[in-house]
Structure formats: structure tokens, C-alpha cells
Amino acid sequence: MTVEQSPTETLQAPARDWFQRAVVYQIYPRSFADSNGDGVGDLRGIISKLDYLHKLGVDVVWLSPIYTSPQDDNGYDISDYRDVDPLFGTLEELRELTDGLHARGMKLVMDLVVNHTSDEHPWFIESRSSKDNPKRDWYWWRQPREPDAGASPRRGAEPNNWGSAFSGPAWEFDQATGEYYLHIFSKKQPDLNWENPEVRAAVYEMMNWWLDRGVDGFRMDVINFISKDTSLPDGPIADGKLFGDGTPFYIDGPRMHEFLQEMHREVFAGRTGELLTVGEMPGVTVEDAVLFTDPARAEVDMVFQFEHVALDQENGDKWRPKKLQLTELKETLGRWQEGLAETGWNSLYWGNHDQARAVSRFGDDSPQYRELSAKMLAGILHLHRGTPYVYQGEELGMTNMSFGAISDYRDIEVLNHHREATAHLGHTDAEVLAALAPLNRDNARTPVQWDASRHAGFTTGAPWIAVNPNANHINAAAQVDDPDSVYSFYRQVIALRHAEPVVSHGDFTMLLPDDPHVYAFTRALAGTTLLVLGNFSGTQQDVTLDGDALVDWGSAELVLGNYPADSGAPRLHLRPWELKVLRGGVARPDR
Ligand code: GLC
């Protein structure tokens, strides 16, 4: 080596580069493919679709939890971190899946749910057994407070006023020992106490066990909840709410960076393989994300931020949806691009198992524009700087589901909210159903639509949640070999990232921030500039670029577009929901 490099650079530069070029595909196993007819997707179902994923071109598969679980929150409540739930298969089948992915050049990222366990995990069973059990302090146990100690009269004796993310208080009283335990999510998901070093050691040991078995990294569930303000203060209570908002006190607590650095040291440091870590971090700010993802700090590779998926809600309340403004979407995503331009790295997503379907939310899922807008959204997202995530079915342009009665829903978040809103907040069933329709999580959890047969080819049995009736025309069988399909468009977008360093590594510059319909930006790297234009409307748009656009785009090459072969339409004119990616290079002579 002639150039002097610091040891960090030598070790980290090549390792980082791979995930900057990569595309991740998320599988929600319960809804992906069912091999045994019990109506629930399983590992063997996934194994049968590996060629489908390979053809799509994705580099990494993130598997939502398949561990042993009572399934209170569809597997995000784990009772054994080192085994596979029989609902999904066996450890041997997981090995087969890992090998099958590796053989096709893909990697496997596991979901790591360690802010909480299931209440049926042996750790919690021990912890609740007595006040002096050695594992008592592995969870957050607190005495009841006096019912009249300043709390609202509607409240009981919980240690503080925090509400659970799944409605009701964040505390559950345990008769056996007369104390409450904390659960930010359901009462079957008690929060682990990361202040206790034994908890941390047990988690790191488990993570090492999985990496030693050949998995390639972790998507870390609500990982910024693991450090809490240990004084557990009351949070503010908003109008019309029964419980306080504890989020300021359990998000990004004082030891957050310390815990992630320790995890990195204990689990990842010294491993030479290409591994991926992504922390799910509700409420994370861009300033903090720089710290979390700065490679020099050795915490995580990237985070999932939530700002752009809160713009269509009043005060971030998903049960009070409002119309999305494109200008706000651009401001938000642009700020994240800028914030992580020099240091750190972005993850890019429109949807996942907790969000509405991308095309229904950000595009137009009407028959006229569904395909065009799904393709446009793919192009816009994947051309940003960062690692894109595709949520199962997004590559088919799958849409939100129109559920009927509350009995059609399966998600604990929806069911608990409906109960609280109708029983305690005075809303009618019809009001609640209408409000929760656009953004509820079950929209994303209907089965993947493989073909037009009964139950969309997902199962031969009775599916655990209804299949979207539009499977008769929106399905994989109709799309995989059709060069004009949404699936084929995703293939092109993914291939473009792999082929063009400017897509993975170029600088990002947002254009036209105030335009209410057009999303426009450039990417630039070493003499190559791409102009990316997306029309977020069903009307024609003419794009006028100001002096910052250095290139004569009128004659630029069209690298990617979502309309049939360009018929000489002016380059800077966009048809409804049109996407154009133009390659420049020729600077205007007068500049
Ligand atoms: C994350 C998961 C979500 C789950 C919650 C509790 O937000 O993505 O599905 O309900 O954490 O584990």
C-alpha cells in the first residue's frame, strides 16, 4: 500500500460500499406464501419464491420475525429468540432459506426485536415470578402510585401516565407481586430493561449466535426505545386522549449511543463479512441520524426515519388522516438527503408492514393511473441517495384493501384502537372505521397476489386475512414476463442502481421545492448528471428549470421512463404521473 490509510478506512470503506449499491426486499412471512395450506405464509413458501426475488434483482432479504411467538403482534412478541415458530417452519428450513439466498448472491437480514420480549418468554416468566427473582430487574417493574397523586381522575394507579402505542395504559398490573410492568406496545410485549448489563449481554450473545449461523445482519425493531429516561416522568396529555404521551421519555434516551456502540463492539467489530444493520427509529431527528450512522462512531449503518410517513396525519396521529402536500414531502425527504450528504447514510422507503400501500398513499390507485404512478414512485424513491427498501407486493403495484367490518381486521393496533375509540372516546363504529381505513397496518398485510386463482395462489387453505379482490388482475403471474409491468419496471430501476455509480453514490440536489405537482432533483457524479422528474398529479405539467440546471436537457438521453417508448415529446413536459430520468453531460455553452 503506497497511500497511507487509517486502519478504520482500510477495514470499513469496502464493507460500506456494498450496501450503498444494494436494494433490500422486505418479506412479511405471514402474508408472503403458504406452502402447507394452513392459511399462514411460511419459510417453505418463501423458499419456493427465491427465483422470483432473484429475477427482481434485489440484493438483500429482510425477514420480519419468524421466531417462536404467541403471535400477539404477529411475531413482534418473541418467546424464544433461537428457534423458529412451528407456524413458519423449522431451523433447518431457515438454514435452507439462507443457503438458497446465498447461492443466488442474496443476503438475509433478520428482524431483531429486543426493546421487548413476549410475556411468554422464559426471561419474563422468571421476572414476574417474585420480587427477588434474579431476573426481576430485566424488565421495568414499578410500585402503583396513589390513585390521587396528581393524576387525572379517569386514571388508575399506574406508575406514570404513559399510553401504550396499541391503546390503553403502558402499564399492566401483576397480581402475583402487586406491581406494574411497562409495555410500550401490547401487554404481551413487556419492555426489557437495558440498564441491566445482564440483559445487554444476553442480547449480544443471541445476536452473535445468529451471525455465526450465517445471517447477514439485523433490522432492529424500535431500537431507539431501548434507552429510556429512568425516572419515567409523566408525559403531556393531548385533548381527546386518555393517556399521556411518554415518547419524549422513552425515545433516544441518554444511553442510546452508548448502547449501540457497545452492541457494535460486542457483536459486529472484528467480523469481516458484508453485514447490514438498520435501526428502526420512530421520532429520530436528522441530526441524531448523522450520529447513529457515522461509520466512525460504529453504531448502525442506517436508520428508518418516520418524518415522511407522518405528513398525511394531523399531529402525527394515523387515525386522523389528512391530504399529503407534495411540497412538504419534498421538504422532508430533501432535508434528510442534505443532512446525511457528508456523513452517514439514508434508508429509503415508501412502505413496510406498518404502513399503507405506497401506490394508494403517495400515488393514484385508480385503474387509470395505478401502474403509471406505482412506476413513477419506484423511480423517484430509488433515484434518491440511500439504500432503497421494497416491501413485498410493492413491486406488483399492490393497493390498499377495502375492509368491511371491524371483524375483517386482524391487527392488534387496529382492534385495540377501535375498542378504545368506540367504548371510551364516544366515537361511532362507522366514524372509527372511516378514519382508520387509509393508514391502518392491515392494508399492507393482505397476502401477496401471486396469480388470479382462488386466494391469489397464496394458500390452498383459508387465508388468515382476506385476499384483496383485485388479485384477479393485479398479480405476479400476469407481470413477471410482461416487459411493461410494474414488476419489470422495478427490475429496471434496480438494475439501473447496480449499473450506474451516479445512482448509488452521486450527490443529490433538490429542484423546484415549491412546485405542488412535480418532484425534481439531480444526481451528479464525476461528469455524469441525472435529472429525475416525477409528476405527482393526473394533469400535464411543464417543467421550467432555473439557472441552477447546468445542462441543456432538451436533447438529453432518456435513461428511464414510465410511458411507452418516447414519441418525441418535449423532454421537460410531463404527462399524468409521468417519470423521466434524463442523462445530461453537456453543459450549456454560455455557462
Ligand atoms: C415495530 C414493528 C411493528 C411492531 C412494533 C412493536 O414498529 O415494525 O410491526 O408492532 O415495532 O414490536
Side-chain angles (χ1 to χ4, degrees), residues 514-534:
D514 300 326
D515 191 307
H517 304 300
V518 176
Y519 203 124
F521 56 90
T522 57
R523 302 294 309 280
L525 183 74
T528 301
T529 304
L530 299 181
L531 173 66
V532 182
L533 301 173

Side-chain angles (χ1 to χ4, degrees), residues 530-548:
L530 299 181
L531 173 66
V532 182
L533 301 173
N535 183 358
F536 275 67
S537 82
T539 53
Q540 317 256 341
Q541 303 293 333
D542 280 306
V543 179
T544 310
L545 297 172
D546 60 22
D548 286 346

Side-chain angles (χ1 to χ4, degrees), residues 26 309 349-353 355-358 362 389-391 394:
Q26 183 193 352
V309 288
Y349 72 96
W350 290 132
N352 58 43
H353 66 292
Q355 303 293 335
R357 287 278 172 191
F362 298 101
Y389 287 70
V390 180
Y391 176 65
E394 181 187 323

Side-chain angles (χ1 to χ4, degrees), residues 88-143:
F88 298 122
T90 63
L91 272 177
E92 289 66 41
E93 284 170 330
L94 185 62
R95 166 81 69 190
E96 200 180 318
L97 171 60
T98 314
D99 291 347
L101 286 166
H102 288 167
R104 291 167 179 80
M106 293 181 275
K107 296 177 185 295
L108 178 67
V109 161
M110 299 286 278
D111 222 299
L112 180 79
V113 188
V114 289
N115 172 67
H116 44 270
T117 66
S118 163
D119 66 336
E120 297 182 34
H121 193 291
W123 296 343
F124 187 73
I125 292 173
E126 273 195 57
S127 183
R128 87 187 313 173
S129 66
S130 74
K131 282 189 187 173
D132 54 10
N133 184 277
K135 290 207 169 55
R136 183 65 169 183
D137 182 51
W138 282 40
Y139 296 83
W140 297 86
W141 290 98
R142 290 290 185 278
Q143 297 274 328

Side-chain angles (χ1 to χ4, degrees), residues 5 11 66 87 118 136 145 147 171 181 244 264 284 299 313 395 397 458 528 558:
Q5 280 181 303
L11 285 176
I66 43 74
L87 194 59
S118 163
R136 183 65 169 183
R145 66 174 165 186
W171 295 94
Y181 65 85
H264 195 279
V284 69
E299 297 185 16
Q313 299 151 47
E395 77 283 12
F458 162 71
T528 301
L558 183 71

Side-chain angles (χ1 to χ4, degrees), residues 180-422:
Y180 285 87
Y181 65 85
L182 176 67
H183 59 88
I184 303 295
F185 294 92
S186 93
K187 63 183 179 195
K188 289 185 67 60
Q189 294 169 298
D191 282 51
L192 279 166
N193 175 17
W194 275 68
E195 299 295 320
N196 185 322
E198 291 172 9
V199 168
R200 306 202 298 276
V203 169
Y204 304 151
E205 196 190 322
M206 175 270 286
M207 294 172 75
N208 276 306
W209 185 83
W210 279 106
L211 292 176
D212 292 344
R213 290 180 66 91
V215 312
D216 304 291
F218 299 99
R219 172 270 184 188
M220 304 175 181
D221 193 66
V222 289
I223 199 67
N224 62 334
F225 291 16
I226 62 176
S227 169
K228 300 170 177 41
D229 178 336
T230 54
S231 66
L232 308 180
D234 276 345
I237 306 185
D239 273 357
K241 293 281 173 194
L242 293 177
F243 301 101
D245 176 11
T247 53
F249 306 112
Y250 60 71
I251 284 190
D252 287 336
R255 301 184 70 185
M256 201 48 234
H257 294 285
E258 175 199 335
F259 289 163
L260 285 181
Q261 287 172 9
E262 180 184 74
M263 176 190 285
H264 195 279
R265 271 197 313 278
E266 298 295 325
V267 179
F268 300 103
R271 290 187 183 265
T272 50
E274 294 178 335
L275 301 175
L276 178 74
T277 56
V278 49
E280 188 207 21
M281 298 197 178
V284 69
T285 62
V286 70
E287 293 75 24
D288 234 356
V290 173
L291 301 178
F292 284 123
T293 66
D294 176 354
R297 294 171 56 91
E299 297 185 16
V300 290
D301 294 327
M302 60 191 103
V303 305
F304 289 131
Q305 58 86 15
F306 281 68
E307 291 183 5
H308 70 298
V309 288
L311 297 172
D312 51 3
Q313 299 151 47
E314 300 288 352
N315 291 325
D317 180 348
K318 77 195 300 182
W319 312 125
R320 289 195 296 155
K322 69 172 189 195
K323 194 176 165 0
L324 176 80
Q325 301 299 331
L326 183 68
T327 46
E328 291 183 5
L329 183 67
K330 291 188 289 188
E331 185 281 322
T332 301
L333 290 177
R335 187 159 37 75
W336 278 83
Q337 289 288 300
E338 210 175 304
L340 295 177
E342 300 298 326
T343 306
W345 191 247
N346 266 298
S347 69
L348 308 169
Y349 72 96
W350 290 132
N352 58 43
H353 66 292
D354 295 329
Q355 303 293 335
R357 287 278 172 191
V359 69
S360 301
R361 186 177 195 175
F362 298 101
D364 179 341
D365 65 6
S366 69
Q368 193 182 5
Y369 292 133
R370 183 187 61 84
E371 290 186 56
L372 278 172
S373 64
K375 293 172 183 174
M376 186 278 293
L377 288 169
I380 290 292
L381 188 81
H382 285 234
L383 268 292
H384 278 70
R385 182 179 158 93
T387 299
Y389 287 70
V390 180
Y391 176 65
Q392 65 182 34
E394 181 187 323
E395 77 283 12
L396 303 172
M398 277 179 62
T399 67
N400 275 358
M401 175 74 168
S402 179
F403 293 101
I406 190 65
S407 56
D408 295 337
Y409 288 91
R410 298 290 176 267
D411 179 16
I412 183 171
E413 185 187 40
V414 173
L415 300 177
N416 286 0
H417 165 70
H418 182 269
R419 192 178 321 115
E420 181 173 284
T422 51

